[in-house]
């Protein structure tokens, strides 16, 4: 079963609008990471938020983490057509043994930003 | 240029054939990973390696073999390809666990 589940599966907005994507997970995490994937390319890391952090910013990106609800959100402000991509959350479980440091990815949100 | 490169980018083969996907990174990262990406499943970990000559299974290892004789290379071999292994394969690396991973651009593999 997927550790991370993104919502919505697809999001279509106009340039200049904000885009919010959500990620829910099931078990305790060490950190949660957001990645972006352009069509036909590999994933690119955006932000890492640790379990003891509640919010992080990077440029137009804002990530929040609510460990009590086991959820995270990625907000892209003032979106641009170039933000069109798939966005994935990945959880790094708070576990030892064979799970240590491995990422579990959700299925992603496809974001389309119309010019 | 520094980075992580995968080859080939595209491959078509037949069931029963052996095929090897290559991954090369120039950062001397200790940790390397192989994922497959399928619609409806996101990315799933096939194998990972913590260092040269140290490899271990991920979530979906059946039908795959890996080796890591040199830090910079992490080839993935499908010993006898099946149609269910049609997928996009991504290699990734990181210098430390619990840090972001760096991904190659993938190999799109079709098995007829």
């Amino acid at each position: 079963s997927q550790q991370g589940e993104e919502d919505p599966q697809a999001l279509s907005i106009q340039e200049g609008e904000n885009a919010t994507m959500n990620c829910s997970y099931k078990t305790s995490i060490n950190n949660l990471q957001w990645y972006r994937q352009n069509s036909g390319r590999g994933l690119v890391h955006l932000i890492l938020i640790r379990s003891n952090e509640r919010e992080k910013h990077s440029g137009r990106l804002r990530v929040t983490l609510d460990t009590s609800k086991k959820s995270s959100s990625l907000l892209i402000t003032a979106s641009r057509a170039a933000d069109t991509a798939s966005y994935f959350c990945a959880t790094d479980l708070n576990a030892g043994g064979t799970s240590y440091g491995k990422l579990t990815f959700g299925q992603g949100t496809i974001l389309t930003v119309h010019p | 240029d520094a980075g992580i490169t995968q080859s080939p980018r595209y491959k078509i083969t037949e069931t029963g054939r052996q095929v090897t996907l290559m991954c090369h990174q120039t950062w001397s990262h200790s940790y390397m990973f192989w994922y497959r990406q399928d619609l409806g499943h996101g990315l799933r970990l096939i194998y990972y390696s913590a260092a040269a000559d140290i490899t271990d299974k991920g979530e979906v290892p059946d039908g795959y073999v890996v080796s890591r004789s040199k830090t910079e290379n992490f080839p993935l071999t499908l010993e006898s390809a099946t149609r269910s292994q049609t997928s996009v394969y991504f290699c990734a690396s990181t210098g430390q666990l619990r840090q972001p991973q760096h991904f190659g651009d993938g190999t799109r593999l079709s098995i007829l």
Side-chain angles (χ1 to χ4, degrees):
Chain A
S1 63
Q2 293 290 331
Q3 163 73 339
E5 299 281 350
E6 281 99 338
D7 170 59
Q9 290 186 328
L11 180 60
S12 182
I13 60 174
Q14 297 293 127
E15 258 191 339
E17 294 181 339
N18 295 341
T20 299
M21 289 159 269
N22 303 297
C23 172
S24 60
Y25 57 91
K26 297 177 183 176
T27 58
S28 177
I29 61 170
N30 176 278
N31 68 72
L32 185 145
Q33 302 178 29
W34 284 92
Y35 288 80
R36 164 192 169 130
Q37 183 181 32
N38 285 55
S39 180
R41 303 299 299 274
L43 279 71
V44 174
H45 178 259
L46 296 176
I47 290 185
L48 182 153
I49 186 165
R50 293 184 171 79
S51 60
N52 61 352
E53 298 174 313
R54 292 296 167 258
E55 187 171 310
K56 284 190 85 169
H57 296 257
S58 177
R60 294 184 294 113
L61 306 180
R62 171 179 172 251
V63 167
T64 61
L65 179 65
D66 187 333
T67 53
S68 66
K69 294 181 179 178
K70 292 186 169 60
S71 67
S72 174
S73 66
L74 170 67
L75 168 67
I76 303 174
T77 60
S79 63
R80 305 166 182 168
D83 294 328
T84 294
S86 294
Y87 292 82
F88 295 87
C89 69
T91 50
D92 185 347
L93 301 184
N94 190 25
T98 57
S99 295
Y100 183 84
K102 294 181 199 171
L103 297 180
T104 302
F105 287 83
Q107 295 182 32
T109 294
I110 300 171
L111 173 65
T112 303
V113 182
H114 300 279
Chain B
D1 290 344
I4 183 166
T5 55
Q6 293 184 236
S7 61
R9 287 297 314 276
Y10 303 92
K11 177 75 176 179
I12 300 174
T13 190
E14 297 175 338
T15 55
R17 296 279 183 110
Q18 183 181 84
V19 59
T20 296
L21 310 184
M22 305 301 293
C23 179
H24 175 78
Q25 51 101 357
T26 60
W27 292 300
S28 299
H29 282 168
S30 295
Y31 300 94
M32 297 187 74
F33 307 85
W34 274 106
Y35 297 90
R36 59 178 290 174
Q37 184 176 32
D38 305 286
L39 281 175
H41 290 282
L43 274 80
R44 292 180 291 174
L45 181 65
I46 305 171
Y47 267 96
Y48 76 102
S49 170
D53 297 323
I54 301 175
T55 62
D56 206 351
K57 297 177 180 178
E59 182 184 352
V60 287
D62 293 343
Y64 303 95
V65 174
V66 294
S67 63
R68 194 157 175 216
S69 58
K70 293 184 177 181
T71 300
E72 60 267 30
N73 296 324
F74 190 36
L76 175 74
T77 297
L78 288 66
E79 292 189 303
S80 179
T82 65
R83 289 195 181 91
S84 65
Q85 293 176 309
T86 291
S87 186
V88 182
Y89 291 85
F90 288 98
C91 179
S93 72
T94 184
Q96 296 181 30
L97 290 178
R98 307 222 139 142
Q99 293 299 311
Q101 294 182 13
H102 302 268
F103 283 78
D105 279 336
T107 294
R108 186 174 294 274
L109 178 63
S110 296
I111 300 164
L112 306 178

